């Protein structure tokens, strides 16, 4: 079998006539397509850098349809940098509950405070200053600088990587540094030529900071709606006549994302202890993940380890059917969480770091995603 590398040997960036023929043509097709086909998303109806920043942070690791109600609720509750700066932590975590990856929201508040302290409370338009804010990487800086301020700053996320590698027939591992550098350079070229395109008046409710914003968003939109990981809709693609992968039958083989590390199975047991309409819950300590989030008392077990009672000071029936079993994945971990109804051993309550909370008040606390499912089950 011919190796992938031999099928499509390395080629200099601009050696393919279709790909290099006309960056301006490609940019024009993309921008025009986006202006006609952009989804109506709530954060596209604003040019407020704060709102755009919040949307970009929420969209990291979370799908658009999940983010929409969260963003709308957030912008009603925390409409400004000032409001975010002064938001008490329990409220901050509660508003983020369900989005997960809580470091994102902690960084959001840290950055708001940094802007207040160092930049007179004004969100910076300088990409270097944007990049210095906590939680903002090269992608987010490019997104905010282009979408909120119309600057010719590139961006590269998973969707854009897929479009650019296919467009240019790049077969090398897209996670490797040299390939990524090549892709950043291609993204930069495209957004730079977009600067010369028409500044179209806004369409419908969507606002645009200009052609660089439209170009960057067109790449993300194309990757999200047309140039899908499997079975891309090439006949509907505005740049199909320039696309090397489509022309050479390589769509199924590009991008090469290398091998993902194998998922690791982890197993936890959690306990629901109730007494007088109150439930015993604990708060995650500092120094780990999900600091400050609430959960039911739980312990990690070996995958084949026997469950015996008592455990963590709770008496339960280890042979009985769990109240529920939750399976979920976090980063590279495939987690199984078995939940048992339990009773605290006499005298143990005071030795455990936790609180008896009235059942009716559980919903006012921010729980980790898996434990929010337990809360839903018992309330
Ligand atoms: S032609 Fe197909 S593979 Fe190429 S960019 Fe468009 S959707 Fe993706």
């Amino acid at each position: 079998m011919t190796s992938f590398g031999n099928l499509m040997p390395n080629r200099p960036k601009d050696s393919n006539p279709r790909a290099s023929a006309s960056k301006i043509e490609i940019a024009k097709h993309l921008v025009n397509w986006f202006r006609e086909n952009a989804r109506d998303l709530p954060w596209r109806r604003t040019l407020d850098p704060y709102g755009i920043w919040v949307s970009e942070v929420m969209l990291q690791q979370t799908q658009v349809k999940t983010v929409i109600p969260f963003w709308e609720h957030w912008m009603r509750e925390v409409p400004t940098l000032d409001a975010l700066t002064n938001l008490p932590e329990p409220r901050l975590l509660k508003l983020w509950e369900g989005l997960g990856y809580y470091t994102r929201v902690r960084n959001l508040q840290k950055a708001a405070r940094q802007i207040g302290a160092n930049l007179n409370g004004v969100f910076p338009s300088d990409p270097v200053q944007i990049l210095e804010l906590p939680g903002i990487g090269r992608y987010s800086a490019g997104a905010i600088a282009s979408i909120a301020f119309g600057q010719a700053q590139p961006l590269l996320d998973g969707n854009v990587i897929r479009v650019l590698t296919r467009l240019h027939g790049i077969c090398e591992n897209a996670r490797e540094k040299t390939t990524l550098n090549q892709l950043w350079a291609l993204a930069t070229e495209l957004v730079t030529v977009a600067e010369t395109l028409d500044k179209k008046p806004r369409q419908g409710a969507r606002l645009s900071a200009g052609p660089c914003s439209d170009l960057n968003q067109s790449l993300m939109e194309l990757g999200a709606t047309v140039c899908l990981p499997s079975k891309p809709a090439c006949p509907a693609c505005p740049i199909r006549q320039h696309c090397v992968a489509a022309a050479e039958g390589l769509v199924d083989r590009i991008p090469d994302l290398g091998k993902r590390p194998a998922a690791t199975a982890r197993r936890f047991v959690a306990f629901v202890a109730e007494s007088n309409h109150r439930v015993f819950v604990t708060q995650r300590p500092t120094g780990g993940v999900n600091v400050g989030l609430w959960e039911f008392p739980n312990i990690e077990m070996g995958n084949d380890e026997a469950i015996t009672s008592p455990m963590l000071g709770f008496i339960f029936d280890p042979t009985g059917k769990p109240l529920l079993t939750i399976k979920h994945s976090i980063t590279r971990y495939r987690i199984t969480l078995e939940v048992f109804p339990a009773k605290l051993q006499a005298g143990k309550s005071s030795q455990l770091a936790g609180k008896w909370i009235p059942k009716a008040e559980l919903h006012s606390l921010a729980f980790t995603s898996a434990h929010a499912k337990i809360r839903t089950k018992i309330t």
Side-chain angles (χ1 to χ4, degrees):
M1 182 180 161
T2 314
S3 79
F4 198 14
N6 290 339
L7 256 178
M8 181 60 62
N10 284 354
R11 58 160 70 93
K13 194 165 59 188
D14 285 334
S15 68
N16 184 288
R18 273 177 298 234
S20 63
S22 168
K23 291 276 181 323
I24 189 85
E25 279 297 303
I26 293 171
K28 250 190 223 168
H29 288 311
L30 284 167
V31 165
N32 289 339
W33 172 82
F34 181 71
R35 286 171 175 169
E36 282 166 23
N37 294 282
R39 288 170 293 175
D40 179 22
L41 303 175
W43 47 88
R44 287 183 174 161
R45 298 178 203 156
T46 181
L47 290 179
D48 173 14
Y50 168 72
I52 289 165
W53 169 47
V54 171
S55 74
E56 286 302 330
V57 174
M58 286 184 173
L59 286 164
Q60 294 163 8
Q61 293 150 316
T62 311
Q63 292 186 338
V64 166
K65 69 174 190 304
T66 306
V67 166
I68 291 172
F70 275 95
W71 186 84
E72 289 176 328
H73 186 221
W74 181 280
M75 294 305 289
R76 276 195 303 274
E77 298 289 317
V78 196
T80 61
L81 278 168
D82 247 14
L84 173 55
T85 297
N86 298 315
L87 199 65
E89 180 172 293
R91 184 81 187 123
L92 182 84
L93 297 177
K94 185 66 192 170
L95 281 169
W96 205 262
E97 188 189 64
L99 284 172
Y101 301 98
Y102 287 83
T103 309
R104 293 184 293 174
V105 72
R106 290 182 189 283
N107 278 334
L108 208 60
Q109 189 172 55
K110 262 191 222 159
R113 289 177 175 165
Q114 198 166 303
I115 293 167
N118 303 336
L119 299 166
N120 296 321
V122 179
F123 200 99
S125 58
D126 177 352
V128 176
Q129 285 184 322
I130 298 175
L131 198 52
E132 282 170 357
L133 296 171
I136 294 198
R138 197 171 171 189
Y139 161 79
S140 301
I144 297 164
S146 61
I147 298 170
F149 299 107
Q151 297 182 26
Q153 292 293 327
L155 53 72
L156 202 60
D157 67 357
N159 284 329
V160 179
I161 286 173
R162 191 163 55 254
V163 171
L164 291 180
T165 50
R166 285 174 173 170
L167 172 64
H168 294 278
I170 295 169
C171 300
E172 291 73 26
N173 186 332
R175 288 203 169 97
E176 277 175 8
K177 198 169 172 203
T178 45
T179 317
L180 280 173
N181 287 343
Q182 183 184 0
L183 291 168
W184 276 108
L186 291 167
T188 304
E189 281 177 7
L190 270 182
V191 77
T192 304
V193 299
E195 259 188 314
T196 61
L197 300 179
D198 284 351
K199 212 177 181 12
K200 276 268 169 75
R202 76 177 200 203
Q203 291 180 322
R206 188 177 75 82
L207 297 180
S208 171
C212 296
S213 164
D214 292 349
L215 184 281
N216 277 350
Q217 291 192 80
S218 76
L219 289 169
M220 294 192 283
E221 191 84 345
L222 195 68
T225 62
V226 177
C227 193
L228 301 170
S230 62
K231 299 200 177 76
C234 299
C237 177
I239 50 172
R240 66 192 173 284
Q241 69 272 37
H242 300 282
C243 179
V244 176
E248 302 193 9
L250 293 170
V251 169
D252 294 341
R253 311 178 78 160
I254 296 178
D256 172 8
L257 297 173
K259 277 203 173 148
R260 282 188 179 278
T264 305
R266 293 177 71 181
R267 177 179 171 228
F268 289 79
V269 177
F271 304 103
V272 174
E274 296 187 38
S275 175
N276 294 329
H277 306 291
R278 296 184 309 158
V279 185
F280 195 79
V281 287
T282 60
Q283 205 168 10
R284 289 194 63 87
T286 49
V289 292
N290 295 332
V291 177
L293 272 287
W294 290 87
E295 56 185 23
F296 295 86
N298 63 90
I299 184 169
E300 182 161 12
M301 307 285 296
N303 288 326
D304 300 318
E305 197 178 345
I307 302 173
T308 53
S309 174
M311 198 174 268
L312 282 186
F314 293 94
I315 303 166
F316 64 104
D317 178 6
T319 61
K321 193 168 177 275
L323 188 63
L324 75 163
T325 300
I326 297 162
K327 289 182 187 290
H328 65 121
S329 294
I330 301 177
T331 58
R332 63 187 185 86
Y333 298 114
R334 220 177 45 245
I335 294 171
T336 303
L337 173 65
E338 290 167 277
V339 186
F340 289 91
K343 281 196 166 65
L344 258 177
Q345 280 180 292
K348 281 281 180 186
S349 175
S350 58
Q351 296 168 29
L352 294 171
K355 279 186 180 167
W356 288 99
I357 301 282
K359 236 181 181 183
E361 289 176 20
L362 288 178
H363 281 278
S364 67
L365 304 177
F367 276 71
T368 59
S369 300
H371 287 253
K373 288 180 186 160
I374 305 174
R375 179 185 60 190
T376 301
K377 174 81 178 176
I378 66 166
T379 54

